[in-house]
Amino acid sequence: MRAADWRALTGSDALGTLPEYISPAFRELIAAQDGAYADALRRQVTASQEEQHLDHVERADPLGESRYCVTPYLVHQYQNRVLLLSTGRCLSYCRYCFRREFTARSSGFISTKQIDEVVGYLRSHTEVQEILVSGGDPLSGSFDQLAYLLRQLRSVSPQLVIRLCTRAPVFAPELFTDALLELLRSVRPLWVIAHINHPAELGTAQRQAFTRCIDSGLPVQTQSVLLKGVNDDAAVLAALFHELVCMGIKPGYLFQMDLARGTASFRVPLEKAAIIWKELRCRLSGLSLPQFAVDLPNGGGKFPLSALMLYEDIVSPLKDGAFSARGIDGNVYTYPGIY
């Protein structure tokens, strides 16, 4: 896609004004908390003058998605998977959104004609094994819109894995009705990829929504964003990830903030992020510890920051099949070359 086409889609010639909308369910969560927990929830969704500050490193398209657009709403960056921007609307608007230039436009749900274009592309690109249905939030569309989209995607192949990327379990848990769960079951293999940042987001209704998914046979994995003034504390994140695992949910990713315009006030310096992640690594098992990653600017793709954080523990890098590293006790251990 040409840069001009991306500007037309995102409105990125000037910083878009992201709407402020807080769902009733999230308002109830805020009201149920006090002190730092209430502040952590409120900060995520309340507009601030800080959003008008533009750092020189920030970009309208921080992930470089425009480089990989094959239709205005379909991004094919990785060989075996694609991203579908199903809508520009959300169930609440996160102030740190990395795709805020797109969601600021509040574009409606993808049309049937556009869905047909996506399906045609998938049928002719058999290397694609997974599709991330994102936006905006796909669950902000009507039931009929979502059903048509998911059923059309399923018609491509019974082996196409659908990842439904959503904040709905937190922002609108009431959407997880019997009808929705039956729809999602009918188009499996489907994973619910839920965005959650703080243990205070797990209210009674939110827990019920997650539990209904799991009890319906729908696997759930989460992604979280490391946010200054929200969850930049190892104890808070450890509590969240442990609780998710107790519920049968796999913490998938913890993301370093992307360089979206107007989000500098949420960005945690990498030096502090490293300290937090290393403490998490000590507190949590591999089951509970998510991958710590960042999307490299301008289309470089996901990079595991764990590699960067553990660099100092590598005493001797891989050579002739062997390497040496510091163990959890601080001593140096060597894994020998094996032939």
Side-chain angles (χ1 to χ4, degrees):
M1 178 183 286
R2 300 187 309 273
D5 295 327
W6 184 255
R7 284 195 296 271
L9 180 62
T10 64
S12 59
D13 285 323
L15 180 63
T17 301
L18 190 67
E20 181 180 283
Y21 173 67
I22 308 172
S23 70
F26 204 73
R27 287 186 184 276
E28 289 180 13
L29 280 180
I30 295 172
Q33 300 294 333
D34 53 26
Y37 271 31
D39 291 341
L41 298 182
R42 194 178 296 111
R43 176 164 164 72
Q44 294 183 64
V45 292
T46 305
S48 164
Q49 285 297 317
E50 293 175 319
E51 296 174 39
Q52 299 306 310
H53 170 72
L54 304 184
D55 194 286
H56 72 282
V57 300
E58 295 176 343
R59 299 289 182 269
D61 177 21
L63 272 60
E65 290 175 334
S66 59
R67 288 178 53 189
Y68 303 101
C69 280
V70 293
T71 81
Y73 296 87
L74 190 68
V75 180
H76 193 172
Q77 180 174 6
Y78 302 97
Q79 181 177 354
N80 79 325
R81 57 198 183 276
V82 294
L83 164 69
L84 177 64
L85 303 177
S86 63
T87 179
R89 294 177 180 163
C90 290
L91 298 162
S92 291
Y93 288 91
C94 301
R95 311 319 303 177
Y96 53 86
C97 180
F98 70 90
R99 206 175 277 133
R100 60 182 295 145
E101 308 282 337
F102 177 62
T103 55
R105 300 265 298 202
S106 297
S107 302
F109 205 84
I110 186 172
S111 70
T112 56
K113 180 178 182 296
Q114 291 158 345
I115 292 172
D116 290 344
E117 291 178 3
V118 169
V119 169
Y121 182 85
L122 294 176
R123 290 188 190 281
S124 63
H125 288 76
T126 55
E127 75 275 15
V128 176
Q129 298 174 314
E130 301 182 23
I131 183 167
L132 288 71
V133 182
S134 187
D137 197 312
L139 267 69
S140 67
S142 70
F143 179 87
D144 288 343
Q145 288 173 321
L146 181 65
Y148 181 80
L149 170 61
L150 294 179
R151 287 167 180 158
Q152 288 300 106
L153 294 178
R154 176 52 58 227
S155 73
V156 172
S157 166
Q159 297 299 312
L160 179 67
V161 175
I162 300 172
R163 294 199 229 169
L164 187 63
C165 306
T166 181
R167 268 288 240 167
V170 172
F171 283 154
E174 68 278 4
L175 293 177
F176 288 84
T177 62
D178 290 343
L180 177 65
L181 293 169
E182 177 55 36
L183 168 64
L184 300 184
R185 282 197 301 268
S186 73
V187 295
R188 290 180 293 184
L190 178 146
W191 284 68
V192 176
I193 308 297
H195 179 169
I196 182 168
N197 296 320
H198 196 282
E201 295 175 32
L202 289 171
T204 300
Q206 287 74 19
R207 289 173 181 271
Q208 289 174 347
F210 280 122
T211 299
R212 297 202 75 197
C213 289
I214 294 165
D215 289 349
S216 296
L218 298 168
V220 182
Q221 180 173 292
T222 63
Q223 57 183 21
S224 307
V225 183
L226 186 60
L227 300 167
K228 183 178 180 180
V230 174
N231 60 9
D232 53 337
D233 181 283
V236 168
L237 288 172
L240 170 63
F241 299 143
H242 177 70
E243 187 59 30
L244 290 172
V245 170
C246 287
M247 295 172 64
I249 299 167
K250 178 68 179 84
Y253 277 105
L254 173 63
F255 283 110
Q256 176 71 6
M257 274 279 299
D258 297 310
L259 302 175
R261 297 195 298 178
T263 62
S265 65
F266 287 101
R267 201 163 295 120
V268 178
L270 265 177
E271 292 82 0
K272 181 176 180 180
I275 294 170
I276 293 170
W277 187 81
K278 287 178 180 179
E279 187 171 344
L280 285 174
R281 187 168 175 263
C282 292
R283 287 172 177 251
L284 299 172
S285 70
L287 181 63
S288 303
L289 183 68
Q291 173 80 273
F292 185 35
V294 67
D295 278 285
L296 297 173
N298 302 318
K302 286 184 177 58
F303 181 82
L305 286 171
S306 52
L308 185 65
M309 307 309 179
L310 295 175
Y311 181 78
E312 63 187 35
D313 291 327
I314 301 172
V315 177
S316 175
L318 184 64
K319 183 178 180 181
D320 297 329
F323 77 98
S324 298
R326 288 187 181 85
I328 58 173
D329 57 2
N331 294 321
V332 176
Y333 297 87
T334 298
Y335 185 87
I338 299 173
Y339 299 97

